[in-house]
Amino acid sequence: MKKIIITGALGQIGSELTMKLRELYGKDNVVATDIREPKDSKVVTDGIFEQLDVTDADRMKALVEKYEVDTFIHLAALLSAVAEAKPKLAWDLNMGGLLNALEIAREHNLKFFTPSSIGAFGPETPKDQTPQVTIQRPTTMYGVTKVSGELLGDYYFQKFGVDTRSVRFPGLISHETLPGGGTTDYAVDIYFEALKNNAYTSFIGKGTYMDMMYMSDAVDLIIQLMEAPSEQLKCRNAYNVSAMSVAPEDIEREIQKHLPEFKLTYEVDPVRQAIAESWPNAIDTSAAQEEWGFSPQFDLEKMTNDMLQQLNNKEI
Ligand code: AKB
């Protein structure tokens, strides 16, 4: 990667990835884009930033040509719960944006990354040790767009030789930017509320296991995957990646080690609970480990220590 364009740069992943890429590759070599342009964000003020609606293929192409980029990191998408509330918009944005980006990657011979998700699995997928290659029949619009995106990644690689790379992200936990409209968002909110109110009401039920990962591991793995030699990669659609499989009560127990009075209660949201139940409990990440050395640094204990410390420093 020498010159990189990122879409959705103000989102949960984008805001941290952009800063890390600027640090590693230089401010002049990272073109951050988003549909919003808040003047108080470091992503906007600390380097190159361009406003971009990813459904506008002409502007996307103009920016790729203006900055002569060689790598495209396409993050702009709606998350699972919002996509379920607005399925047509989710299809138009998630698929329209991805197709525009892939076409430009084909025309300009760009290296390409876009994330898939554990949402690409469905109720018929094996729930535990979910294999890299398995049944993918999701029952959400988010999942439909993620499986379609994986197929497009394969297609553009096989048909046109575009160097497509991807992972199936689990729930991502971060202290910088809040996620918006995901099913796994409870695992972020719980830390903010623990420090603010010593209590949290979870919209995901007790005993519901999902894969999760700390954002610093997610950012590092994107860079590691993008820098891996092309011939090492067998799965062009998306690699399973995860750092832990947790239920709300597991996070509760870890938080209580720091805040003994912390209280977790439940008010289950039937829509997000149904989505969570259609996803795996714990996926098998051996292909990512073997093919490009995926090795996350944060387990639940280490992540909880760091989250609470970082949030304390911010005095939220
Ligand atoms: C969501 O919950 O929608 C995302 C995801 C797992 O893809 N965090």
Side-chain angles (χ1 to χ4, degrees), residues 12 78-82 116-120 142 146 169-172 179-185 210-211 275 279:
Q12 194 201 9
L78 292 190
L79 292 181
S80 55
V82 187
S116 183
S117 157
I118 51 169
Y142 181 65
K146 288 299 173 189
F169 269 134
L172 297 178
T183 303
T184 56
D185 293 8
M210 284 185 279
D211 283 292
I275 296 175
W279 290 355

Side-chain angles (χ1 to χ4, degrees), residues 128 173 183-184 186-188 190-191 200 202-213 242-256 262 264-266 273 276-277 280-282 300-301 303-304:
D128 294 298
I173 295 159
T183 303
T184 56
Y186 90 85
V188 181
I190 194 169
Y191 288 101
Y200 179 63
S202 173
F203 57 79
I204 292 295
K206 193 171 179 178
T208 310
Y209 279 85
M210 284 185 279
D211 283 292
M212 304 280 171
M213 186 186 292
S242 169
M244 63 197 89
S245 164
V246 295
E249 63 272 26
D250 297 324
I251 307 181
E252 175 191 27
R253 264 193 308 276
E254 275 310 314
I255 292 177
Q256 281 170 344
F262 173 67
L264 177 63
T265 51
Y266 296 90
Q273 182 65 25
E277 284 173 15
N281 298 332
L300 179 58
E301 186 182 3
M303 176 180 81
T304 302

Side-chain angles (χ1 to χ4, degrees), residues 132-172:
Q132 174 63 43
V133 181
T134 186
I135 303 162
Q136 289 185 266
R137 294 188 63 80
T139 47
T140 62
M141 178 51 91
Y142 181 65
V144 169
T145 66
K146 288 299 173 189
V147 174
S148 308
E150 287 191 16
L151 293 172
L152 278 177
D154 265 347
Y155 181 80
Y156 271 73
F157 173 69
Q158 280 154 14
K159 178 101 179 167
F160 305 119
V162 179
D163 189 351
T164 54
R165 304 174 182 210
S166 179
V167 295
R168 295 180 182 128
F169 269 134
L172 297 178

